[in-house]
Amino acid sequence: MGSSMSIPSSASIREETRQTAVLSESGLVTRQYRRAEIPDERNSLRLRVRFGTDAGALVNGFPSKGGVYSLFCSPMELDFLGLDRFETALPSSDPAEEDALCAKIRLLGAEWWPSLDSLWGGPPLLKEKVRFIGVACPLEEKVRFIGVASQGGLWALETNLEDCSNRQLGRIQNARDMEEKCRQIERFGGTFYADPSECPLLDFKSPVPERAAIHVLFADDDASNQTVARNLLTHLGFSQVTTVRDGKEALDFLLAAAEDKSQRKPDIIFLDTEMPVMDGFECARILRREFPYNTDYSNIPIVGMAYRNPMLENRERWFAAGMSGFLPLPIQERDLEQMLVRLVLRGRSRISLSGPSIEDAGRDASMMQEE
């Protein structure tokens, strides 16, 4: 059973280029690639866990009967297998433990191969060959990792795919939250910017015009959530952000904005549902139903935020309060952007003054789960 792969010769590089061109024609990749020339010590394939340039990891199990079970696993599947999402690992010296791992990855769809040589010398369309970018990659393409720190500022790292493969930087994307991602970026030599506008990897000079015009009101008593939200919104091009600590402060701000015509009203409101003084449910109810707020804000999109998914319990309470959507905490950039695009930029608020019926609540719950 082969334990490593040597640095490819020019002939083997040409062959790899030919094979990956076939992959491109099949639609699995969009460009012609050639193999990254990785030093021997970084290219050992006899590992239990090996990372590439994308989230997840290649997991190998070496059963006592011989051969190898191999599967590219997502971060969630790594958790299921009890494997570290950030550290490479060698096979266990205990055959029983290794057989137990093999049994679990077989449940996820792992395929058995007689040897590592047969695995990596197999058909060029092998799925793992495409996803495990150490085998085929465009060497000079830029890769960026950005982590927004909860206490302000951000961590940034830019490299190319060859280095990303060599150092297995795809593991950075295995982070569950921004703090974990920041720690990994720091670990691999990222740079910290106390002022995000000083980061050369971000474009603060050319915001999307319609995004720059959107005013966001964000209510949360957690200062770290406020900081993360402001940094993420700024990064996404939503530069007009007002933060308050509870529902009462949100109502005071909204009343002042309605009375002072020179003050810009928010276009969307994010409310934590578990704030002191006044929680997000009560604040949303007042905005939808009580004078004078319902004359100015009856149709404004209101997004509730919580660590629990309301679709699993008390969903009627969310819609009865007049919530337009749900954003899980801790905030993830992709979720935040999708919510803003759906409710503001597309103008798709689903809430009316009278509030949705139970039937509407069920329909919207299904739509939220799909999104």
Side-chain angles (χ1 to χ4, degrees), residues 112-139:
W112 181 82
W113 295 81
S115 68
L116 284 171
D117 287 339
S118 64
L119 168 63
W120 292 100
L125 292 182
L126 184 67
K127 182 179 179 182
E128 278 72 11
K129 274 194 169 185
V130 180
R131 300 191 66 181
F132 187 58
I133 206 71
V135 171
C137 62
L139 301 182

Side-chain angles (χ1 to χ4, degrees), residues 143-149 153-158 172-173 175 177-178 181-182 185 191 193 196 199-204 231-232 235 333:
V143 179
R144 294 176 177 179
F145 300 97
I146 305 292
V148 181
L154 57 81
W155 285 92
L157 173 64
E158 182 179 60
I172 294 173
Q173 305 289 32
D177 53 45
M178 274 292 175
K181 187 176 183 181
C182 286
I185 295 174
T191 302
Y193 297 90
C199 177
L201 305 185
L202 304 181
D203 182 6
F204 285 98
N231 288 340
L232 286 176
H235 179 214
E333 181 174 338

Side-chain angles (χ1 to χ4, degrees), residues 86-317:
F86 301 111
E87 301 297 337
T88 58
L90 293 170
S92 173
S93 58
D94 181 353
E97 182 180 338
E98 199 65 20
D99 283 341
L101 173 68
C102 291
K104 293 186 77 172
I105 62 174
R106 287 178 67 187
L107 292 175
L108 298 177
E111 186 175 355
W112 181 82
W113 295 81
S115 68
L116 284 171
D117 287 339
S118 64
L119 168 63
W120 292 100
L125 292 182
L126 184 67
K127 182 179 179 182
E128 278 72 11
K129 274 194 169 185
V130 180
R131 300 191 66 181
F132 187 58
I133 206 71
V135 171
C137 62
L139 301 182
E140 300 306 321
E141 182 170 317
K142 296 297 184 183
V143 179
R144 294 176 177 179
F145 300 97
I146 305 292
V148 181
S150 62
Q151 301 304 315
L154 57 81
W155 285 92
L157 173 64
E158 182 179 60
T159 183
N160 58 43
L161 272 175
E162 180 177 19
D163 177 62
C164 191
S165 174
N166 290 352
R167 295 199 286 155
Q168 307 177 52
L169 297 182
R171 71 186 89 180
I172 294 173
Q173 305 289 32
N174 290 344
R176 287 198 186 96
D177 53 45
M178 274 292 175
E179 287 303 297
E180 203 170 46
K181 187 176 183 181
C182 286
R183 288 194 295 270
Q184 292 301 314
I185 295 174
E186 179 183 12
R187 169 190 177 187
F188 289 104
T191 302
F192 179 74
Y193 297 90
D195 182 354
S197 65
E198 295 179 356
C199 177
L201 305 185
L202 304 181
D203 182 6
F204 285 98
K205 297 180 180 179
S206 305
V208 180
E210 60 269 25
R211 294 190 177 195
I214 300 300
H215 183 191
V216 178
L217 176 61
F218 187 91
D220 194 320
D221 60 303
D222 189 323
S224 64
N225 282 347
Q226 288 189 12
T227 301
V228 168
R230 182 181 291 277
N231 288 340
L232 286 176
L233 287 164
T234 302
H235 179 214
L236 292 170
F238 299 91
S239 55
Q240 297 188 54
V241 184
T242 299
T243 58
V244 294
R245 294 174 296 181
D246 56 61
K248 178 65 167 57
E249 287 190 7
L251 292 178
D252 291 343
F253 174 83
L254 292 166
L255 185 60
E259 294 175 347
D260 184 355
K261 301 305 179 183
S262 65
Q263 189 170 340
R264 173 72 187 277
K265 295 180 184 178
D267 297 286
I268 186 170
I269 304 171
F270 289 87
L271 297 174
D272 178 13
T273 57
E274 297 183 354
M275 294 180 288
V277 183
M278 181 185 291
D279 64 27
F281 292 115
E282 180 64 11
C283 182
R285 187 194 66 77
I286 292 173
L287 286 172
R288 298 300 189 202
R289 302 178 185 278
E290 293 190 11
F291 180 83
Y293 303 99
N294 59 359
T295 61
D296 293 290
Y297 301 108
S298 62
N299 293 314
I300 190 172
I302 301 176
V303 179
M305 301 182 295
Y307 288 94
R308 291 184 178 182
N309 189 336
M311 300 306 107
L312 302 179
E313 55 183 38
N314 296 327
R315 69 186 186 187
E316 287 82 6
R317 182 186 182 192

